[in-house]
Amino acid sequence: MPLSGGQPALLVLADGTFYQGWSFGAPGTAIGEVVFNTGMTGYQEVLTDPSYCGQIVTFTYPELGNTGVNMEDEESHRPQVKAAIARNICWKPSNWRSTKSLPDYLKQHNIPGIYGIDTRALTRKIRIFGAMNGGISTEILDVNELLQKVKAAPNMLGLNLAKEVTTSEVYEWSESTSADWEFNAQIASSTTAEPAQKEIYTVVALDFGIKRNILRRLSSFGCRVIVVPANTPAEEILKYNPDGIFLSNGPGDPAAVTEAIATTQELLQSNKPLFGICLGHQILGLSLGAKTTKLKFGHRGLNQPAGLQRQVEITSQNHSFAIEEDSLSPDVEVTHLNLNDRTVAALRHKSLPVFSVQYHPEASPGPHDSDYVFEEFVKAMRSHRSC
């Protein structure tokens, strides 16, 4: 579709900068924190990742929607972003798995989008001045009017968004990674074993915005996963007599999720294996007495290098906050740093079976460098069970 044939749309940032483009999603107005993602693929996983709740995502890769969308690639039941920003949009996707175009998908879920703007200039601005609130609208095309709405919106710092995306009911997850997509040879060969021969570990997962592929990887490694709401107290969690406890990814300011921090502190006293990813990593750090800080523009992409000594993992990351290394107690060691800015990327308790990673080990942007952390969790549960 030529730009001249589209519906006009306006993007305004909190500092007054504005960009005029065209609509490719639902009509309307959306306000949120404007961030950017550098991935060249995986736009549907990004859009449906609950960790992006409250945010407007700029895609730096200039072509969006070429492969359409399909139900198998959703990380949750619907798009979680406030809105999307792109340079060019494909209206007629070409892929054998596609069931719908990206514009139709966003319209179906009432998510606005703007395209035809200079996303490189927008990304450079965010890198220089930091992530900031912005608004996209097809109905408010006056810059000052939309700017007033943007300025009235709350900042991400201090927001507890986990309560917006967590499950409302307890449920059990049993679906593993599809055999067609299984990349771990050991898991692939074990799928022929009789159920009685397999080790099954009960894991209670606190849902702060959990991704389906995380649940699939836990199941693939032999876990029976019971997913509970973010505000579930420790007493209720321990009633399931879990072999291990998982703290999921999620959106917002980790320091604002005070109830979960207190719950995690109680769970640590049980000495059960505990594993956290992304927001769960930050909540674990806070429960161990550390502090978190908001990053200038965060880490959102598929090629973030993480490591400490000699070995480097190429990781998928999506977060705005990081644990302050200097605030960690002597009982906690940093096992990985983000090698771009030296922020904490993973930690481990020196005496408890507790560890966490800031990145997303279930994501497969090409490398599968970090998938082993699920196996480490299983090893910790196996060791704890044998004690």
Side-chain angles (χ1 to χ4, degrees):
M1 179 184 292
L3 293 179
S4 59
Q7 181 179 15
L10 177 66
L11 165 64
V12 175
L13 301 181
D15 67 355
T17 306
F18 67 93
Y19 303 80
Q20 294 172 313
W22 306 91
S23 170
F24 74 91
T29 302
I31 310 294
E33 183 183 51
V34 181
V35 299
F36 64 86
N37 184 290
T38 59
M40 296 176 66
T41 60
Y43 56 82
Q44 188 177 354
E45 290 89 336
V46 170
L47 294 169
T48 56
D49 181 351
S51 296
Y52 282 103
C53 175
Q55 294 178 324
I56 297 174
V57 181
T58 306
F59 290 88
T60 63
Y61 188 67
E63 303 290 336
L64 205 64
N66 293 30
T67 55
V69 298
N70 64 81
M71 297 303 101
E72 290 79 14
D73 287 349
E74 291 184 317
E75 289 289 4
S76 62
H77 67 286
R78 57 162 290 130
Q80 301 287 345
V81 298
K82 285 281 190 176
I85 302 171
R87 179 69 184 93
N88 299 318
I89 287 295
C90 176
W91 299 86
K92 295 181 179 180
S94 178
N95 186 274
W96 66 274
R97 300 175 69 229
S98 175
T99 59
K100 188 174 296 184
S101 73
L102 177 59
D104 287 343
Y105 180 67
L106 293 183
K107 286 178 183 177
Q108 174 190 347
H109 294 285
N110 200 33
I111 304 294
I114 185 172
Y115 79 105
I117 72 168
D118 188 344
T119 50
R120 177 172 292 187
L122 175 58
T123 300
R124 284 175 61 86
K125 183 174 187 63
I126 294 171
R127 281 186 59 90
I128 293 170
F129 297 100
M132 65 184 79
N133 281 349
I136 290 177
S137 184
T138 61
E139 54 194 4
I140 304 174
L141 299 180
D142 179 83
V143 173
N144 289 328
E145 183 180 352
L146 186 54
L147 178 60
Q148 294 309 308
K149 290 186 175 294
V150 171
K151 287 184 174 181
N155 292 319
M156 187 62 69
L157 193 66
L159 283 185
N160 178 0
L161 294 178
K163 64 182 181 181
E164 304 294 332
V165 295
T166 188
T167 181
S168 58
E169 298 179 351
V170 176
Y171 66 93
E172 188 168 328
W173 182 277
S174 58
E175 178 190 341
S176 299
T177 302
S178 167
D180 293 333
W181 298 102
E182 183 54 67
F183 49 82
N184 186 305
Q186 185 175 353
I187 290 177
S189 63
S190 70
T191 56
T192 56
E194 294 296 325
Q197 296 177 302
K198 293 184 177 180
E199 294 178 289
I200 303 297
Y201 298 94
T202 299
V203 173
V204 173
L206 274 80
D207 177 17
F208 305 126
I210 200 165
K211 294 166 65 177
R212 288 175 175 173
N213 269 323
I214 289 178
L215 292 168
R216 291 189 184 106
R217 293 316 288 160
L218 287 169
S219 179
S220 294
F221 277 90
C223 299
R224 169 192 172 227
V225 188
I226 301 169
V227 185
V228 300
N231 62 354
T232 305
E235 181 181 0
E236 290 299 316
I237 293 169
L238 294 174
K239 283 182 180 179
Y240 292 101
N241 191 27
D243 294 295
I245 298 157
F246 176 72
L247 308 178
S248 87
N249 64 293
D253 185 346
V257 195
T258 54
E259 196 169 9
I261 296 169
T263 296
T264 304
Q265 288 174 330
E266 291 184 54
L267 292 171
L268 289 171
Q269 298 176 22
S270 71
N271 290 323
K272 288 181 178 289
L274 193 150
F275 171 36
I277 288 177
C278 200
L279 183 69
H281 158 80
Q282 297 159 2
I283 287 174
L284 175 60
L286 289 164
S287 72
L288 291 168
K291 297 178 181 178
T292 54
T293 188
K294 192 172 190 298
L295 300 173
K296 186 175 182 180
F297 48 81
H299 304 147
R300 295 175 186 85
L302 311 179
N303 59 349
Q304 297 279 333
L308 196 59
Q309 294 181 346
R310 298 192 179 187
Q311 185 168 337
V312 177
E313 298 171 28
I314 302 303
T315 68
S316 177
Q317 299 195 17
N318 165 26
H319 61 106
S320 297
F321 294 81
I323 293 173
E324 296 179 11
E325 184 175 3
D326 293 343
S327 68
L328 289 167
S329 74
D331 295 329
V332 181
E333 63 177 331
V334 174
T335 60
H336 294 68
L337 294 174
N338 183 300
L339 299 179
N340 285 331
D341 62 7
R342 310 297 291 182
T343 53
V344 177
L347 59 81
R348 180 182 298 274
H349 197 278
K350 293 180 179 178
S351 58
L352 298 174
V354 169
F355 71 102
S356 62
V357 295
Q358 180 63 79
Y359 43 88
H360 289 245
E362 85 294 339
S364 305
H368 305 124
D369 298 12
S370 306
D371 190 61
Y372 71 91
V373 298
F374 293 102
E375 185 175 2
E376 292 295 310
F377 186 38
V378 170
K379 287 179 180 178
M381 290 188 287
R382 183 183 300 125
S383 177
H384 187 267
R385 182 186 280 185
S386 64
C387 292

